[in-house]
Amino acid sequence: MIGNTHKKHLNIVLILALLLPFLTGCWDRTEIETRANILGIAIDVSEDNQQMHESEVNHMTGIFPEPNKKLIQITAQIAVPGRIPLGPESGSNGSQKPVWLVSTVGHTLDDAILNLQQEIADRLFFGHLRVIIVSNEVARKGLGDLICAEILKYAVLHG
């Protein structure tokens, strides 16, 4: 009788062990076509005429006081899936560029990245970020604000 219950328990454990691989899945996967792979970012102080082009998606005009410093302009180089050449090119494919250049402005770098996300339908992915270009004017003011910015958080977490 004791041997019979051990066989039942052993059978249950074996069945569970065989079914366990089928219960796992890709719970955190992100398809490459549904994310915007950022390859490089340029950070600059915006010109005075770009102050008017800030959208009201993140900031409602007249409700909150605006900071008295200049807006930050970021330009992101985003890879277009399927157009990045993986080997030597065979033929002319000049009309289709492998990257997009998207530029937005914001009061801070985090704000500019949020505005950039509003411009692009896919979720921003900083895992392939290889270069951050900072203008001379931004660098002279100090990089303290940029160190704790969202871009570096993403680059460290997903890089």
Side-chain angles (χ1 to χ4, degrees):
M1 186 149 157
I2 294 176
N4 197 12
T5 57
H6 286 301
K7 285 182 183 180
K8 285 183 182 179
H9 290 300
L10 183 63
N11 286 339
I12 291 173
V13 169
L14 285 175
I15 289 173
L16 289 177
L18 290 174
L19 291 178
L20 188 65
F22 295 110
L23 297 176
T24 62
C26 299
W27 58 272
D28 65 342
R29 71 170 169 82
T30 304
E31 294 291 331
I32 195 167
E33 290 87 12
T34 62
R35 64 183 182 189
N37 292 316
I38 305 232
L39 304 175
I41 287 188
I43 304 168
D44 196 5
V45 175
S46 71
E47 299 168 1
D48 290 334
N49 60 355
Q50 290 180 341
Q51 304 269 354
M52 302 302 291
H53 295 309
E54 184 185 25
S55 65
E56 288 192 28
V57 174
N58 293 331
H59 300 287
M60 302 295 268
T61 307
I63 295 176
F64 297 107
E66 294 182 7
N68 56 1
K69 58 183 181 179
K70 286 187 172 182
L71 291 176
I72 293 176
Q73 176 184 3
I74 63 169
T75 303
Q77 183 182 32
I78 301 170
V80 179
R83 292 191 192 163
I84 302 287
L86 300 175
E89 295 201 24
S90 59
S92 64
N93 217 2
S95 65
Q96 296 182 346
K97 295 186 178 185
V99 293
W100 289 331
L101 289 178
V102 181
S103 183
T104 60
V105 294
H107 295 285
T108 63
L109 187 61
D110 290 337
D111 185 34
I113 290 174
L114 287 174
N115 289 337
L116 180 67
Q117 181 63 67
Q118 294 296 327
E119 295 284 329
I120 299 170
D122 297 331
R123 184 171 169 247
L124 296 178
F125 180 70
F126 293 93
H128 296 288
L129 180 66
R130 293 295 175 250
V131 65
I132 301 173
I133 300 170
V134 181
S135 73
N136 195 15
E137 188 176 351
V138 172
R140 286 182 191 224
K141 288 182 180 179
L143 300 177
D145 294 339
L146 302 180
I147 290 174
C148 21
E150 202 66 28
I151 186 173
L152 297 178
K153 290 180 206 171
Y154 280 120
V156 169
L157 291 176
H158 300 293

